[in-house]
Amino acid sequence: KSHGFHKLPYRAMSLTPQSYSVEIKANDYEPIEAATVDLGPGSRKSVAFKLLYRPAKIVLDILPTNAVVVIKGQQHHERTLKLNPGMYKIQISAPGHKSQEVSTRLRAGEVKEYKSQLEPLTYLHLTVTPSKTSIYMKNKKIRGPDIHMTPGVEYELEFRASGHKTKTITYKLTRGQTLNEEVVLKKKFF
């Protein structure tokens, strides 16, 4: 076996001189057209066939429709793919959605369907004034301006900037929600 095809030597001995139709049939392989071989007295002939696996098909039903499918580092935009039998990791991603990766084994001639709906990301987009404001959650500094959040969980954010009053805001977002929030800190007066 080598790269999807087999090399198998077959010999037919002591054939009477005439025309022969030679064909090979094998499960899991593409059909091959028969070859005609004319044998004369004392002649030897070779016939080469290349056996190719019947491709497997995978049919992808994925939402959102702009999702990108990557298999073995190659992007696929079509949703019905013919692939050689084997193991595959299928990566699916779309802007604003959580990516997925699935593994599947495809057998020769198999048609496999895969249905998926990517989960929308939930995030908070912050615009903060002054621009050098630090954002903390549970006393740990976090980076913005986009903060990915778990839907339904309360997040208490603290905004700190030199010469400004600290501000604390609690956020709780729903699944797939994107909240654009402008936070302005007031100056301290001494």
Side-chain angles (χ1 to χ4, degrees):
K1 184 176 176 182
S2 172
H3 303 291
F5 63 91
H6 293 271
K7 289 186 175 181
L8 303 172
Y10 289 101
R11 291 193 176 150
M13 307 290 273
S14 303
L15 296 173
T16 57
Q18 65 180 33
S19 287
Y20 289 91
S21 178
V22 180
E23 90 182 35
I24 296 176
K25 290 183 182 178
N27 290 336
D28 297 336
Y29 293 90
E30 291 285 351
I32 296 175
E33 256 186 64
T36 302
V37 178
D38 294 318
L39 287 180
S43 65
R44 294 178 112 182
K45 298 275 179 143
S46 292
V47 180
F49 291 97
K50 187 175 182 182
L51 295 176
L52 297 173
Y53 279 118
R54 281 194 343 256
K57 275 188 192 176
I58 188 160
V59 180
L60 303 167
D61 182 5
I62 300 170
L63 291 175
T65 56
N66 68 334
V68 174
V69 176
V70 176
I71 301 173
K72 291 190 174 183
Q74 185 178 3
Q75 277 192 16
H76 296 272
H77 299 286
E78 59 279 356
R79 293 299 186 243
T80 299
L81 305 171
K82 284 185 178 183
L83 300 168
N84 286 328
M87 281 296 298
Y88 290 92
K89 282 188 180 178
I90 301 169
Q91 298 166 322
I92 305 163
S93 61
H97 292 76
K98 187 176 179 181
S99 297
Q100 280 185 4
E101 182 175 288
V102 293
S103 294
T104 189
R105 175 179 297 283
L106 298 174
R107 290 179 172 75
E110 178 180 27
V111 176
K112 196 174 264 192
E113 294 184 30
Y114 180 75
K115 187 173 188 166
S116 177
Q117 183 169 350
L118 297 181
E119 183 180 335
L121 291 175
T122 301
Y123 64 93
L124 174 64
H125 178 79
L126 296 170
T127 305
V128 184
T129 304
S131 61
K132 294 192 185 248
T133 298
S134 296
I135 306 167
Y136 293 85
M137 181 168 41
K138 296 181 182 179
N139 286 321
K140 289 186 178 180
K141 192 172 182 178
I142 62 172
R143 298 184 70 137
D146 293 324
I147 302 168
H148 293 280
M149 304 177 87
T150 303
V153 174
E154 282 191 357
Y155 291 84
E156 186 176 276
L157 301 182
E158 190 175 272
F159 301 87
R160 303 177 196 164
S162 179
H164 292 77
K165 291 182 180 180
T166 297
K167 189 174 201 175
T168 302
I169 304 174
T170 301
Y171 297 96
K172 183 178 180 179
L173 278 62
T174 58
R175 182 180 178 269
Q177 179 182 4
T178 299
L179 178 63
N180 294 308
E181 181 82 356
E182 186 173 347
V183 178
V184 179
L185 298 184
K186 294 181 181 178
K187 287 189 176 187
K188 282 184 185 177
F189 296 102
F190 298 94

